[in-house]
Amino acid sequence: MQNPDPQMLLLLYFVLPVWLIAGFADYLCHRATDIETTTGLKETYIHILMFLQMGLPLLSALFLEVNALVIGFMIVLFFCHEATALWDVSYAVTAREVRPVEQHIHSFLEMVPLMALLLVISRHWPQFLALFGLGDEPPRFDLHPRADPLPTSYIVAVLLGIFLLEMMPYFEEYLRAKRARKKPGRSG
């Protein structure tokens, strides 16, 4: 990747790290409110669904050429994620306290993906317009690896960050909820 533009720098070195940190902070909030004994596995499954709804577009942007298909996929999953986030909080408040800090972290977890999506769209504006039949380019709906692959060291760092800050903590949350469900008197 030669001479990245400011949008790319913001995406890679600001938006994505903030997003990962916010996800980990949300996990810490869940842990502090004993999610395993309150909303239990159901809320954990909702978190896993949201992880997939944002993880798949992220992987697409990291590894694929961004075109109308990828942008459309990102937009659809962004709105699915927003609906799931509303479901998540609506369910969570029925059985556990969602403190102001967690609510504020949720703001990041909703707005940071939007920032990422808008930065991706602005970098690929002709394909965004083409998705809606506008502009001078035809929409491209094919899947190809990125023509300008991101540096391997960056990809490794991002995947390691996802594994350590998202996958492992939420897997630990899942295990706690699963164990709590097995205890007598728990229904999680």
Side-chain angles (χ1 to χ4, degrees), residues 13-56:
Y13 300 106
F14 178 74
V15 173
L16 189 52
V18 167
W19 197 357
L20 293 175
I21 291 165
F24 183 72
D26 194 41
Y27 156 79
L28 292 175
C29 291
H30 303 160
R31 192 166 172 77
T33 58
D34 297 319
I35 191 173
E36 68 273 14
T37 61
T38 56
T39 54
L41 276 173
K42 181 175 179 178
E43 189 176 3
T44 298
Y45 288 141
I46 295 170
H47 296 154
I48 292 167
L49 176 60
M50 288 190 294
F51 177 77
L52 290 171
Q53 289 170 332
M54 289 293 92
L56 293 173

Side-chain angles (χ1 to χ4, degrees), residues 59-67 69-70 140-148:
L59 291 174
S60 298
L62 290 175
F63 294 107
L64 298 175
E65 196 64 38
V66 176
N67 59 23
L69 174 64
V70 172
R140 293 191 313 275
F141 296 105
D142 50 345
L143 295 176
H144 294 288
R146 289 178 64 104
D148 62 338

Side-chain angles (χ1 to χ4, degrees), residues 76-147:
V76 166
L77 284 183
F78 171 78
F79 283 109
C80 289
H81 178 266
E82 289 302 299
T84 306
L86 182 58
W87 173 34
D88 174 44
V89 174
S90 298
Y91 175 66
V93 299
T94 66
R96 69 178 180 86
E97 182 181 4
V98 180
R99 297 178 181 144
V101 169
E102 185 176 354
Q103 292 173 25
H104 192 65
I105 291 167
H106 288 171
S107 297
F108 278 85
L109 291 172
E110 291 175 31
M111 290 299 103
V112 172
L114 179 60
M115 287 189 314
L117 177 61
L118 292 175
L119 285 167
V120 167
I121 287 170
S122 69
R123 292 193 78 242
H124 302 280
W125 189 250
Q127 280 299 293
F128 173 71
L129 291 176
L131 181 61
F132 300 100
L134 304 171
D136 299 329
E137 270 185 30
R140 293 191 313 275
F141 296 105
D142 50 345
L143 295 176
H144 294 288
R146 289 178 64 104

